[in-house]
Amino acid sequence: MTTQELLAHSSRYIMNTYRRFPIVLVRGEGPWVWDSEGKEYLDFVAGIAVCSLGHSHPAVTAAIRKQAETLTHVSNLYHIEPQIRVAECLVEHSFADKAFFCNSGAEANEAAIKLARKYGNEMMDGNRYEIITMENSFHGRTLTTVTATGQKKFQLGFEPLPEGFRYVPFNDIAAVEKAITEKTCAVMVEPIQAEGGILVPDDDYLRRLRNLCDDRGILLIFDEVQVGMGRTGTLFAYEQSGIQPDIMTLAKALGNGFPVGAMLATDAAAAAFVPGNHASTFGGNPLGMAAAMATLDTILTGGVLDNCKAVGAYFFDRLRELKGAHDIITDVRGRGLIVGVELSIPGDAIVSMAMENGVLINCTNGNILRFVPPLIITRDHVDRVIEVLDEVMRLT
Ligand SMILES: *Cc1c(COP(=O)(O)O)cnc(C)c1O
């Protein structure tokens, strides 16, 4: 099929849930992707913070190939060696004692919400099932995770929504304190709000949240679906806060493009689940776990985190320079290689022009350019993106 035919068939046969750019991407390597016309792009979207080791990373590709030739799926009726290895690795490198596997971020959050409710209803004083989440947050698109998401625009039309969620402003401890009732079982928060516009809370926010949860005997859940797996320069974003959650969710970069999700918890929280309480047919299957294991091994041994910190700092410096040259940039923020550039104008024209110039970037919340490139990029890649942004912003 020609590209024009592909685009025509796409709108004819695929449900209308996305506004897609009019290109078809067919191949990727490292931070580069190519479309069906052979045009090359430097990819600072990375499948929305997914392909953190770059496209077609040789270690991940080899692991998937080898596992596909050995065993792809057997279900969780049996023990699965690659799943045991990934669980051990995640537990040994985090606060957690136990892992549950699924296939996406929404599913990981759904599992976290179910665990917190089970814990609240059965292991706390009285029946506790309410979860406090943040305004402007993003936790997924299932009916329950879209309800946990503190943004009306994602919920409209899907009423009635499940009960049991209360929303408070992000980065506001007093608001959380006021929202806690005798029904509250948990507080759920992204350590950095990603879809919401790369919002980094005050340095002591997560610590104060931890203290508050400890005082009131409620669980603290971190959604690290986007900011986990090295994105901020440490394997998990919470490591930089000096405190630990009780439950944490992961997905996006966990399999470097293979769909896998995980929900990690302390033994105390995990004890609320017993056989029959929660399950996933595909979750933790050998193929996904082989991808996750290769991804974890590479992040932990390949200098990826150091590169993320160093190139992230360089990217920040260059973006601050760019801000000095362009009035439309009102803020540059983020951590490691999750970076937001707030504009005084809508961002879509800049995203489209950057694409024409061979650079893929994303815009979230209308006017915030979001950069979530592979963590293996170099200063040269940053320079190229800055050069294109500078050119494009001159034209706006
Ligand atoms: C992307 C994202 C999700 C949802 O993940 P899916 O895999 O799309 O279901 C949940 N939480 C956060 C913070 C995310 O960035």
Side-chain angles (χ1 to χ4, degrees):
M1 270 192 266
T2 66
T3 300
Q4 283 319 309
E5 285 167 340
L6 283 169
L7 296 180
H9 283 231
S10 179
S11 54
R12 178 163 174 193
Y13 294 114
I14 293 178
M15 214 171 280
N16 192 24
T17 61
Y18 278 92
R19 253 192 307 277
R20 292 182 166 88
F21 292 101
I23 59 171
V24 182
L25 295 174
V26 295
R27 191 164 66 85
E29 192 181 319
W32 303 97
V33 288
W34 288 268
D35 72 14
S36 50
E37 305 280 285
K39 184 176 161 86
E40 180 178 82
Y41 304 86
L42 183 53
D43 184 7
F44 269 42
V45 179
I48 317 186
V50 166
C51 302
S52 286
L53 301 176
H55 296 279
S56 309
H57 188 279
V60 181
T61 301
I64 291 173
R65 177 178 296 135
K66 183 158 176 254
Q67 192 61 52
E69 288 168 352
T70 310
L71 186 70
T72 57
H73 179 82
V74 290
S75 90
N76 288 295
L77 298 175
Y78 313 99
H79 294 279
I80 295 168
E81 186 176 343
Q83 184 183 132
I84 298 163
R85 289 187 197 283
V86 175
E88 177 175 358
C89 182
L90 289 172
V91 163
E92 294 303 332
H93 286 89
S94 77
F95 73 95
D97 301 305
K98 295 281 192 290
F100 170 84
F101 293 102
C102 51
N103 315 286
S104 69
E107 278 177 86
N109 285 333
E110 188 86 21
I113 291 165
K114 283 181 72 178
L115 181 64
R117 279 199 182 179
K118 193 85 176 5
Y119 186 90
N121 281 323
E122 292 181 357
M123 299 170 87
M124 288 175 169
D125 51 310
N127 275 26
R128 287 175 172 259
Y129 55 84
E130 262 177 18
I131 299 178
I132 297 170
T133 68
M134 306 304 149
E135 291 170 9
N136 200 46
S137 59
F138 185 84
H139 298 298
R141 300 291 203 136
T142 64
L143 205 45
T144 299
T145 56
V146 90
T147 307
T149 294
Q151 301 194 57
K152 270 270 167 288
K153 67 177 179 196
F154 294 118
Q155 300 168 346
L156 280 175
F158 299 112
E159 302 81 1
L161 301 171
E163 288 173 50
F165 292 91
R166 287 174 153 243
Y167 313 102
V168 298
F170 185 56
N171 200 26
D172 183 343
I173 293 291
V176 179
E177 201 164 356
K178 255 175 58 191
I180 295 173
T181 71
E182 74 285 350
K183 296 282 179 222
T184 308
C185 67
V187 174
M188 181 168 179
V189 63
E190 297 159 82
I192 293 173
Q193 286 194 331
E195 303 295 316
I198 323 297
L199 298 167
V200 184
D202 295 342
D203 281 344
D204 62 349
Y205 175 65
L206 297 176
R207 175 181 297 279
R208 293 178 67 199
L209 212 46
R210 176 74 272 178
N211 289 341
L212 181 58
C213 289
D214 286 344
D215 280 353
R216 302 301 185 87
I218 57 184
L219 298 172
L220 181 58
I221 306 171
F222 282 173
D223 178 346
E224 292 219 15
V225 167
Q226 188 154 166
V227 297
M229 297 303 292
R231 176 63 48 194
T232 65
T234 46
L235 185 59
F236 305 115
Y238 80 80
E239 293 172 46
Q240 295 173 49
S241 69
I243 55 94
Q244 303 178 334
D246 301 293
I247 299 173
M248 177 172 76
T249 55
L250 299 171
K252 288 193 167 77
L254 181 55
N256 203 53
F258 198 97
V260 271
M263 188 261 296
L264 308 182
T266 60
D267 268 331
F273 270 173
V274 296
N277 287 161
H278 196 52
S280 168
T281 299
F282 293 127
N285 79 46
L287 197 53
M289 291 294 102
M293 195 67 245
T295 303
L296 273 162
D297 279 343
T298 308
I299 291 177
L300 290 168
T301 57
V304 174
L305 297 174
D306 288 340
N307 188 70
C308 172
K309 277 184 231 154
V311 179
Y314 177 72
F315 192 22
F316 258 78
D317 289 347
R318 300 273 355 238
L319 285 169
R320 289 215 181 85
E321 260 173 61
L322 194 72
K323 178 171 182 282
H326 297 278
D327 290 343
I328 57 163
I329 301 182
T330 55
D331 195 22
V332 176
R333 57 188 183 237
R335 190 169 289 160
L337 281 170
I338 178 162
V339 184
V341 169
E342 186 169 326
L343 305 174
S344 58
I345 58 166
D348 31 341
I350 288 174
V351 170
S352 293
M353 284 192 280
M355 197 172 86
E356 278 162 35
N357 284 277
V359 168
L360 300 184
I361 58 174
N362 170 258
C363 178
T364 185
N365 244 4
N367 66 325
I368 295 139
L369 300 180
R370 167 172 47 179
F371 302 87
V372 280
L375 308 180
I376 48 99
I377 55 164
T378 65
R379 286 171 172 77
D380 289 344
H381 298 127
V382 168
D383 289 343
R384 173 77 191 126
V385 168
I386 295 288
E387 191 187 327
V388 165
L389 286 174
D390 187 38
E391 240 171 77
V392 160
M393 286 181 177
R394 266 173 223 287
L395 300 172
T396 55

